[in-house]
Amino acid sequence: MNPVRLGYLYGFGAYLLWGFFPIYLKLLRPAGPVEILAHRIVWSVVFVALLLAAMRNIGFLRALARRPRTLAAIVVAAALIAVNWGTYIYGVNSDRVVETALGYFINPLVVVLIGVFVLRERLRPAQWAALGVGAAAVVVLTVDYGRLPYLALTLAFSFAGYGLVKKRLGLPAAEGLFVESAVLALPALAYLGWLAGRGESTFGHVSLGHTLLLVLAGAATAVPLLLFAGAANRLPLSGLGMLQYLAPILQLGCGVLIFHEPMPPARLAGFALVWVALIVFTVDAVRHTRRTRAAARTPVPVTAATR
């Protein structure tokens, strides 16, 4: 199969799984958000360790142990993804799937914002316009909710920060997920042990199906990330950028159509402003990519000074 087509297939697979992930998380109740998070971490370590063993790729740990700065950055990445996962699980299981979807809609705008304040990047006028419309959307949604949409903002900023750290680390998907989960595994196991000691663990006490779903949380976490890595290695950034909106669209659909969460006119207006900002942002990104490619293909005229 053509590598680009295979990349789109991987990308669709990853974002489809992420898009319908709220349904999976709902099935894990009556387990609480922290218990679900702890199982997700522990079983991710187990699943990816088995995968790396099958690939005979455990040796990377020895090289990593000799890079303390990289290990410190992995701890930061692990903390950010734990915040992201925990917030998402809490949002879904407190019947706020719509707000969690908002977080992933505004994530690209937050990435641009981090680029300005952390990486000192200069924005094009259209990017500033998209950020302005996005800020207006947050104001409208704040009025509608009667509070800041803090779940959405926490998801957007934690995932954007995680992406920044991961970009600088440059670790492959499986290896990166294994180390990040391993960093979190000890506190996760300690929490699960404490929960079991209090007789409050749901693991093995609800049904066989519920127990299996908790165990499979590791695979449900790792498989989309591995598919995403496969897509990222084969697709241009513009193609991958267009695919990223599939997951929050599906999550929004789950919240409104399956879980029947309210979508009053003011909230719909706030989402509409977010979508306008994303359209401006995406169109500008596509045009900029095309101009950059065209400039790269344009031959430089040979003059006397360049001979």
Side-chain angles (χ1 to χ4, degrees), residues 108-135:
L109 303 177
V110 173
V111 170
V112 172
L113 201 62
I114 287 178
V116 173
F117 290 102
V118 177
L119 303 179
R120 304 297 180 186
E121 295 178 353
R122 297 181 65 181
L123 298 188
R124 297 182 295 275
Q127 291 176 309
W128 280 116
L131 285 176
V133 175

PDB file of all heavy atoms in Angstrom, residues 108-135:
ATOM      1  N   PRO A 108      -5.300  23.041  19.403  1.00  0.00           N
ATOM      2  CA  PRO A 108      -4.385  23.644  18.413  1.00  0.00           C
ATOM      3  C   PRO A 108      -4.110  25.126  18.662  1.00  0.00           C
ATOM      4  O   PRO A 108      -2.996  25.607  18.417  1.00  0.00           O
ATOM      5  CB  PRO A 108      -5.134  23.445  17.086  1.00  0.00           C
ATOM      6  CG  PRO A 108      -6.056  22.303  17.332  1.00  0.00           C
ATOM      7  CD  PRO A 108      -6.470  22.426  18.755  1.00  0.00           C
ATOM      8  N   LEU A 109      -5.113  25.853  19.171  1.00  0.00           N
ATOM      9  CA  LEU A 109      -4.921  27.273  19.463  1.00  0.00           C
ATOM     10  C   LEU A 109      -3.984  27.449  20.655  1.00  0.00           C
ATOM     11  O   LEU A 109      -3.166  28.372  20.678  1.00  0.00           O
ATOM     12  CB  LEU A 109      -6.270  27.943  19.738  1.00  0.00           C
ATOM     13  CG  LEU A 109      -7.312  27.827  18.615  1.00  0.00           C
ATOM     14  CD1 LEU A 109      -8.631  28.459  19.040  1.00  0.00           C
ATOM     15  CD2 LEU A 109      -6.802  28.489  17.335  1.00  0.00           C
ATOM     16  N   VAL A 110      -4.100  26.570  21.636  1.00  0.00           N
ATOM     17  CA  VAL A 110      -3.214  26.631  22.798  1.00  0.00           C
ATOM     18  C   VAL A 110      -1.778  26.309  22.387  1.00  0.00           C
ATOM     19  O   VAL A 110      -0.831  26.908  22.899  1.00  0.00           O
ATOM     20  CB  VAL A 110      -3.708  25.667  23.900  1.00  0.00           C
ATOM     21  CG1 VAL A 110      -2.701  25.587  25.039  1.00  0.00           C
ATOM     22  CG2 VAL A 110      -5.056  26.125  24.436  1.00  0.00           C
ATOM     23  N   VAL A 111      -1.603  25.378  21.459  1.00  0.00           N
ATOM     24  CA  VAL A 111      -0.268  25.053  20.946  1.00  0.00           C
ATOM     25  C   VAL A 111       0.374  26.298  20.342  1.00  0.00           C
ATOM     26  O   VAL A 111       1.558  26.589  20.579  1.00  0.00           O
ATOM     27  CB  VAL A 111      -0.341  23.917  19.903  1.00  0.00           C
ATOM     28  CG1 VAL A 111       1.003  23.738  19.196  1.00  0.00           C
ATOM     29  CG2 VAL A 111      -0.756  22.609  20.564  1.00  0.00           C
ATOM     30  N   VAL A 112      -0.404  27.053  19.564  1.00  0.00           N
ATOM     31  CA  VAL A 112       0.106  28.295  18.975  1.00  0.00           C
ATOM     32  C   VAL A 112       0.470  29.288  20.073  1.00  0.00           C
ATOM     33  O   VAL A 112       1.503  29.964  20.019  1.00  0.00           O
ATOM     34  CB  VAL A 112      -0.953  28.901  18.023  1.00  0.00           C
ATOM     35  CG1 VAL A 112      -0.520  30.286  17.553  1.00  0.00           C
ATOM     36  CG2 VAL A 112      -1.166  27.991  16.826  1.00  0.00           C
ATOM     37  N   LEU A 113      -0.381  29.376  21.100  1.00  0.00           N
ATOM     38  CA  LEU A 113      -0.129  30.293  22.217  1.00  0.00           C
ATOM     39  C   LEU A 113       1.162  29.935  22.937  1.00  0.00           C
ATOM     40  O   LEU A 113       1.968  30.819  23.274  1.00  0.00           O
ATOM     41  CB  LEU A 113      -1.314  30.228  23.185  1.00  0.00           C
ATOM     42  CG  LEU A 113      -1.523  31.404  24.143  1.00  0.00           C
ATOM     43  CD1 LEU A 113      -1.784  32.687  23.366  1.00  0.00           C
ATOM     44  CD2 LEU A 113      -2.682  31.113  25.081  1.00  0.00           C
ATOM     45  N   ILE A 114       1.400  28.664  23.153  1.00  0.00           N
ATOM     46  CA  ILE A 114       2.651  28.218  23.783  1.00  0.00           C
ATOM     47  C   ILE A 114       3.842  28.547  22.886  1.00  0.00           C
ATOM     48  O   ILE A 114       4.913  28.930  23.369  1.00  0.00           O
ATOM     49  CB  ILE A 114       2.581  26.707  24.085  1.00  0.00           C
ATOM     50  CG1 ILE A 114       1.637  26.455  25.259  1.00  0.00           C
ATOM     51  CG2 ILE A 114       3.967  26.140  24.386  1.00  0.00           C
ATOM     52  CD1 ILE A 114       1.445  25.000  25.616  1.00  0.00           C
ATOM     53  N   GLY A 115       3.636  28.422  21.579  1.00  0.00           N
ATOM     54  CA  GLY A 115       4.696  28.783  20.646  1.00  0.00           C
ATOM     55  C   GLY A 115       5.122  30.238  20.794  1.00  0.00           C
ATOM     56  O   GLY A 115       6.315  30.568  20.694  1.00  0.00           O
ATOM     57  N   VAL A 116       4.164  31.110  21.065  1.00  0.00           N
ATOM     58  CA  VAL A 116       4.459  32.542  21.227  1.00  0.00           C
ATOM     59  C   VAL A 116       5.202  32.799  22.529  1.00  0.00           C
ATOM     60  O   VAL A 116       6.236  33.478  22.560  1.00  0.00           O
ATOM     61  CB  VAL A 116       3.154  33.364  21.184  1.00  0.00           C
ATOM     62  CG1 VAL A 116       3.428  34.829  21.524  1.00  0.00           C
ATOM     63  CG2 VAL A 116       2.517  33.276  19.811  1.00  0.00           C
ATOM     64  N   PHE A 117       4.685  32.276  23.646  1.00  0.00           N
ATOM     65  CA  PHE A 117       5.211  32.636  24.962  1.00  0.00           C
ATOM     66  C   PHE A 117       6.392  31.779  25.412  1.00  0.00           C
ATOM     67  O   PHE A 117       7.197  32.226  26.226  1.00  0.00           O
ATOM     68  CB  PHE A 117       4.087  32.572  26.005  1.00  0.00           C
ATOM     69  CG  PHE A 117       3.065  33.660  25.848  1.00  0.00           C
ATOM     70  CD1 PHE A 117       1.842  33.406  25.258  1.00  0.00           C
ATOM     71  CD2 PHE A 117       3.347  34.951  26.266  1.00  0.00           C
ATOM     72  CE1 PHE A 117       0.897  34.413  25.103  1.00  0.00           C
ATOM     73  CE2 PHE A 117       2.418  35.967  26.110  1.00  0.00           C
ATOM     74  CZ  PHE A 117       1.191  35.705  25.530  1.00  0.00           C
ATOM     75  N   VAL A 118       6.488  30.546  24.904  1.00  0.00           N
ATOM     76  CA  VAL A 118       7.579  29.663  25.330  1.00  0.00           C
ATOM     77  C   VAL A 118       8.696  29.629  24.290  1.00  0.00           C
ATOM     78  O   VAL A 118       9.875  29.757  24.625  1.00  0.00           O
ATOM     79  CB  VAL A 118       7.054  28.229  25.599  1.00  0.00           C
ATOM     80  CG1 VAL A 118       8.199  27.304  25.980  1.00  0.00           C
ATOM     81  CG2 VAL A 118       6.005  28.252  26.708  1.00  0.00           C
ATOM     82  N   LEU A 119       8.323  29.462  23.028  1.00  0.00           N
ATOM     83  CA  LEU A 119       9.330  29.335  21.973  1.00  0.00           C
ATOM     84  C   LEU A 119       9.624  30.657  21.271  1.00  0.00           C
ATOM     85  O   LEU A 119      10.451  30.691  20.356  1.00  0.00           O
ATOM     86  CB  LEU A 119       8.853  28.296  20.937  1.00  0.00           C
ATOM     87  CG  LEU A 119       8.540  26.907  21.491  1.00  0.00           C
ATOM     88  CD1 LEU A 119       8.059  25.989  20.373  1.00  0.00           C
ATOM     89  CD2 LEU A 119       9.750  26.312  22.185  1.00  0.00           C
ATOM     90  N   ARG A 120       8.924  31.729  21.681  1.00  0.00           N
ATOM     91  CA  ARG A 120       9.128  33.067  21.106  1.00  0.00           C
ATOM     92  C   ARG A 120       8.895  33.097  19.598  1.00  0.00           C
ATOM     93  O   ARG A 120       9.616  33.763  18.844  1.00  0.00           O
ATOM     94  CB  ARG A 120      10.544  33.584  21.419  1.00  0.00           C
ATOM     95  CG  ARG A 120      10.887  33.622  22.895  1.00  0.00           C
ATOM     96  CD  ARG A 120      10.002  34.574  23.655  1.00  0.00           C
ATOM     97  NE  ARG A 120      10.318  34.619  25.068  1.00  0.00           N
ATOM     98  CZ  ARG A 120       9.617  35.298  25.973  1.00  0.00           C
ATOM     99  NH1 ARG A 120       8.541  35.970  25.581  1.00  0.00           N
ATOM    100  NH2 ARG A 120       9.950  35.295  27.238  1.00  0.00           N
ATOM    101  N   GLU A 121       7.909  32.346  19.136  1.00  0.00           N
ATOM    102  CA  GLU A 121       7.585  32.334  17.713  1.00  0.00           C
ATOM    103  C   GLU A 121       6.783  33.576  17.344  1.00  0.00           C
ATOM    104  O   GLU A 121       6.039  34.122  18.160  1.00  0.00           O
ATOM    105  CB  GLU A 121       6.788  31.072  17.363  1.00  0.00           C
ATOM    106  CG  GLU A 121       7.590  29.788  17.541  1.00  0.00           C
ATOM    107  CD  GLU A 121       6.757  28.553  17.242  1.00  0.00           C
ATOM    108  OE1 GLU A 121       5.533  28.697  17.028  1.00  0.00           O
ATOM    109  OE2 GLU A 121       7.333  27.440  17.237  1.00  0.00           O
ATOM    110  N   ARG A 122       6.924  33.991  16.106  1.00  0.00           N
ATOM    111  CA  ARG A 122       6.146  35.134  15.602  1.00  0.00           C
ATOM    112  C   ARG A 122       4.962  34.611  14.812  1.00  0.00           C
ATOM    113  O   ARG A 122       5.109  33.721  13.971  1.00  0.00           O
ATOM    114  CB  ARG A 122       7.034  36.025  14.725  1.00  0.00           C
ATOM    115  CG  ARG A 122       8.202  36.646  15.479  1.00  0.00           C
ATOM    116  CD  ARG A 122       9.035  37.521  14.576  1.00  0.00           C
ATOM    117  NE  ARG A 122       8.283  38.681  14.107  1.00  0.00           N
ATOM    118  CZ  ARG A 122       8.778  39.609  13.272  1.00  0.00           C
ATOM    119  NH1 ARG A 122      10.005  39.478  12.806  1.00  0.00           N
ATOM    120  NH2 ARG A 122       8.032  40.630  12.905  1.00  0.00           N
ATOM    121  N   LEU A 123       3.790  35.184  15.073  1.00  0.00           N
ATOM    122  CA  LEU A 123       2.576  34.709  14.427  1.00  0.00           C
ATOM    123  C   LEU A 123       2.222  35.548  13.212  1.00  0.00           C
ATOM    124  O   LEU A 123       2.512  36.748  13.154  1.00  0.00           O
ATOM    125  CB  LEU A 123       1.398  34.747  15.412  1.00  0.00           C
ATOM    126  CG  LEU A 123       1.501  33.871  16.661  1.00  0.00           C
ATOM    127  CD1 LEU A 123       0.178  33.889  17.413  1.00  0.00           C
ATOM    128  CD2 LEU A 123       1.885  32.450  16.300  1.00  0.00           C
ATOM    129  N   ARG A 124       1.581  34.902  12.256  1.00  0.00           N
ATOM    130  CA  ARG A 124       1.034  35.596  11.100  1.00  0.00           C
ATOM    131  C   ARG A 124      -0.299  36.249  11.507  1.00  0.00           C
ATOM    132  O   ARG A 124      -0.936  35.819  12.482  1.00  0.00           O
ATOM    133  CB  ARG A 124       0.831  34.612   9.949  1.00  0.00           C
ATOM    134  CG  ARG A 124       2.135  33.990   9.465  1.00  0.00           C
ATOM    135  CD  ARG A 124       1.910  33.041   8.288  1.00  0.00           C
ATOM    136  NE  ARG A 124       1.120  31.864   8.660  1.00  0.00           N
ATOM    137  CZ  ARG A 124       1.628  30.768   9.203  1.00  0.00           C
ATOM    138  NH1 ARG A 124       2.935  30.701   9.466  1.00  0.00           N
ATOM    139  NH2 ARG A 124       0.854  29.739   9.493  1.00  0.00           N
ATOM    140  N   PRO A 125      -0.755  37.267  10.769  1.00  0.00           N
ATOM    141  CA  PRO A 125      -2.012  37.951  11.137  1.00  0.00           C
ATOM    142  C   PRO A 125      -3.204  37.004  11.285  1.00  0.00           C
ATOM    143  O   PRO A 125      -4.010  37.163  12.212  1.00  0.00           O
ATOM    144  CB  PRO A 125      -2.220  38.936   9.976  1.00  0.00           C
ATOM    145  CG  PRO A 125      -0.834  39.225   9.487  1.00  0.00           C
ATOM    146  CD  PRO A 125      -0.073  37.955   9.646  1.00  0.00           C
ATOM    147  N   ALA A 126      -3.319  36.025  10.413  1.00  0.00           N
ATOM    148  CA  ALA A 126      -4.447  35.088  10.498  1.00  0.00           C
ATOM    149  C   ALA A 126      -4.387  34.276  11.783  1.00  0.00           C
ATOM    150  O   ALA A 126      -5.434  33.945  12.371  1.00  0.00           O
ATOM    151  CB  ALA A 126      -4.457  34.160   9.285  1.00  0.00           C
ATOM    152  N   GLN A 127      -3.187  33.943  12.241  1.00  0.00           N
ATOM    153  CA  GLN A 127      -3.056  33.198  13.491  1.00  0.00           C
ATOM    154  C   GLN A 127      -3.491  34.046  14.683  1.00  0.00           C
ATOM    155  O   GLN A 127      -4.142  33.548  15.612  1.00  0.00           O
ATOM    156  CB  GLN A 127      -1.617  32.712  13.666  1.00  0.00           C
ATOM    157  CG  GLN A 127      -1.207  31.623  12.687  1.00  0.00           C
ATOM    158  CD  GLN A 127       0.253  31.245  12.826  1.00  0.00           C
ATOM    159  OE1 GLN A 127       1.138  32.103  12.824  1.00  0.00           O
ATOM    160  NE2 GLN A 127       0.531  29.949  12.950  1.00  0.00           N
ATOM    161  N   TRP A 128      -3.128  35.334  14.662  1.00  0.00           N
ATOM    162  CA  TRP A 128      -3.593  36.239  15.720  1.00  0.00           C
ATOM    163  C   TRP A 128      -5.118  36.344  15.699  1.00  0.00           C
ATOM    164  O   TRP A 128      -5.759  36.364  16.762  1.00  0.00           O
ATOM    165  CB  TRP A 128      -2.971  37.624  15.550  1.00  0.00           C
ATOM    166  CG  TRP A 128      -1.569  37.749  16.066  1.00  0.00           C
ATOM    167  CD1 TRP A 128      -0.434  38.014  15.350  1.00  0.00           C
ATOM    168  CD2 TRP A 128      -1.145  37.613  17.422  1.00  0.00           C
ATOM    169  NE1 TRP A 128       0.659  38.037  16.163  1.00  0.00           N
ATOM    170  CE2 TRP A 128       0.256  37.810  17.455  1.00  0.00           C
ATOM    171  CE3 TRP A 128      -1.816  37.343  18.622  1.00  0.00           C
ATOM    172  CZ2 TRP A 128       0.992  37.744  18.630  1.00  0.00           C
ATOM    173  CZ3 TRP A 128      -1.084  37.280  19.804  1.00  0.00           C
ATOM    174  CH2 TRP A 128       0.308  37.475  19.798  1.00  0.00           C
ATOM    175  N   ALA A 129      -5.679  36.416  14.504  1.00  0.00           N
ATOM    176  CA  ALA A 129      -7.142  36.486  14.389  1.00  0.00           C
ATOM    177  C   ALA A 129      -7.796  35.236  14.966  1.00  0.00           C
ATOM    178  O   ALA A 129      -8.800  35.316  15.691  1.00  0.00           O
ATOM    179  CB  ALA A 129      -7.548  36.668  12.922  1.00  0.00           C
ATOM    180  N   ALA A 130      -7.241  34.062  14.665  1.00  0.00           N
ATOM    181  CA  ALA A 130      -7.783  32.809  15.194  1.00  0.00           C
ATOM    182  C   ALA A 130      -7.714  32.788  16.722  1.00  0.00           C
ATOM    183  O   ALA A 130      -8.670  32.375  17.391  1.00  0.00           O
ATOM    184  CB  ALA A 130      -7.018  31.628  14.607  1.00  0.00           C
ATOM    185  N   LEU A 131      -6.595  33.254  17.284  1.00  0.00           N
ATOM    186  CA  LEU A 131      -6.477  33.305  18.736  1.00  0.00           C
ATOM    187  C   LEU A 131      -7.493  34.262  19.346  1.00  0.00           C
ATOM    188  O   LEU A 131      -8.070  33.986  20.407  1.00  0.00           O
ATOM    189  CB  LEU A 131      -5.058  33.729  19.139  1.00  0.00           C
ATOM    190  CG  LEU A 131      -3.965  32.672  19.001  1.00  0.00           C
ATOM    191  CD1 LEU A 131      -2.609  33.273  19.346  1.00  0.00           C
ATOM    192  CD2 LEU A 131      -4.247  31.480  19.900  1.00  0.00           C
ATOM    193  N   GLY A 132      -7.723  35.407  18.680  1.00  0.00           N
ATOM    194  CA  GLY A 132      -8.706  36.373  19.170  1.00  0.00           C
ATOM    195  C   GLY A 132     -10.113  35.795  19.197  1.00  0.00           C
ATOM    196  O   GLY A 132     -10.855  35.951  20.172  1.00  0.00           O
ATOM    197  N   VAL A 133     -10.487  35.096  18.108  1.00  0.00           N
ATOM    198  CA  VAL A 133     -11.813  34.469  18.051  1.00  0.00           C
ATOM    199  C   VAL A 133     -11.909  33.362  19.105  1.00  0.00           C
ATOM    200  O   VAL A 133     -12.947  33.191  19.760  1.00  0.00           O
ATOM    201  CB  VAL A 133     -12.092  33.910  16.637  1.00  0.00           C
ATOM    202  CG1 VAL A 133     -13.416  33.159  16.608  1.00  0.00           C
ATOM    203  CG2 VAL A 133     -12.110  35.034  15.611  1.00  0.00           C
ATOM    204  N   GLY A 134     -10.823  32.606  19.289  1.00  0.00           N
ATOM    205  CA  GLY A 134     -10.812  31.557  20.305  1.00  0.00           C
ATOM    206  C   GLY A 134     -10.987  32.125  21.706  1.00  0.00           C
ATOM    207  O   GLY A 134     -11.708  31.552  22.533  1.00  0.00           O
ATOM    208  N   ALA A 135     -10.336  33.255  21.982  1.00  0.00           N
ATOM    209  CA  ALA A 135     -10.496  33.909  23.290  1.00  0.00           C
ATOM    210  C   ALA A 135     -11.940  34.374  23.493  1.00  0.00           C
ATOM    211  O   ALA A 135     -12.503  34.244  24.592  1.00  0.00           O
ATOM    212  CB  ALA A 135      -9.543  35.102  23.399  1.00  0.00           C
TER     213      ALA A 135
END
